Amino acid sequence: MKTVTLEVGNTSWWKNRKYRREAAKELRELRLKYKRIKFLKKYRAQEANTIIYADYKIMK
């Protein structure tokens, strides 16, 4: 079992669009390779960062 962290969003609307598109592409590629991916949690870092992260668990 492996955990993957992806940047899935941002507080800015135009950056949010960019990050969501990139995350969707990455998830599509991971699902083709591993078939089972489970969403764990979504969070923001404690620093002055506006990026939203999400953790996914890869089950083989």
Side-chain angles (χ1 to χ4, degrees):
M1 186 171 66
K2 188 166 95 172
T3 303
V4 175
T5 302
L6 296 176
E7 298 172 345
V8 294
N10 197 301
T11 56
S12 169
W13 68 269
W14 60 275
K15 287 183 186 177
N16 188 44
R17 186 174 171 188
K18 173 189 162 198
Y19 283 114
R20 285 178 57 116
R21 187 172 292 148
E22 290 173 355
K25 181 180 176 185
E26 183 70 26
L27 280 173
R28 230 178 280 120
E29 292 171 2
L30 288 172
R31 284 196 174 106
L32 285 173
K33 187 174 181 181
Y34 294 107
K35 300 293 183 198
R36 292 196 60 196
I37 297 175
K38 183 178 180 183
F39 172 76
L40 295 176
K41 64 179 177 176
K42 193 183 287 190
Y43 59 93
R44 287 180 56 187
Q46 293 297 324
E47 52 199 55
N49 194 344
T50 60
I51 299 173
I52 301 168
Y53 299 97
D55 288 339
Y56 293 90
K57 181 170 63 171
I58 296 175
M59 297 178 274
K60 295 181 180 180

